[in-house]
């Protein structure tokens, strides 16, 4: 959840053109997507029912793998699209899951 919130802060008031011109923002967003993908990968390994809560988990993990292993081929337009169209739904799914089963400390 923290990584999602960080991405939202990074791109707050940011246009697509500004995002594409700012290597620092791109790098920060990529890192947070890596963190999201790794967390979901571990969650899926620990509990396959994560697929019920987050049906796109394999696609998100695949994005993480692409960023980490094929970093020169990362398409920033795909990341921008994910920020705009996928992140809000992921946030809602995580919030619902956390409300049902809050993390233990």
């Amino acid at each position: 959840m923290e990584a999602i919130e960080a991405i939202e802060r990074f791109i707050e008031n940011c246009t697509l053109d500004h995002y594409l011109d700012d290597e620092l923002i791109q790098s920060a967003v990529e890192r947070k997507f890596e963190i999201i993908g790794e967390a979901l990968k571990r969650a899926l390994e620990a509990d396959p029912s994560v697929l019920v809560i987050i049906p796109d988990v394999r696609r998100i993990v695949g994005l993480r793998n692409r960023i980490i292993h094929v970093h020169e081929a990362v398409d920033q337009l795909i990341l921008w699209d994910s920020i705009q169209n996928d992140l809000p739904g992921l946030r809602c799914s995580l919030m619902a899951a956390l409300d049902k089963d809050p993390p233990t400390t």
Side-chain angles (χ1 to χ4, degrees), residues 39-100:
L40 290 175
K41 176 180 168 244
R42 290 180 184 193
L44 183 60
E45 289 169 354
D47 183 0
S49 72
V50 167
L51 281 169
V52 174
I53 300 165
I54 305 167
D56 289 335
V57 71
R58 288 195 173 105
R59 192 170 62 89
I60 297 166
V61 171
L63 176 65
R64 168 235 178 240
N65 292 341
R66 184 169 188 98
I67 292 170
I68 289 175
H69 299 294
V70 194
H71 60 273
E72 69 276 359
V74 174
D75 186 337
Q76 294 301 326
L77 291 175
I78 291 173
L79 291 184
W80 181 260
D81 183 66
S82 291
I83 292 166
Q84 302 302 315
N85 298 306
D86 301 328
L87 227 49
L90 178 58
R91 173 190 261 285
C92 289
S93 296
L94 289 176
M95 290 298 290
L98 292 172
D99 283 347
K100 285 192 336 189

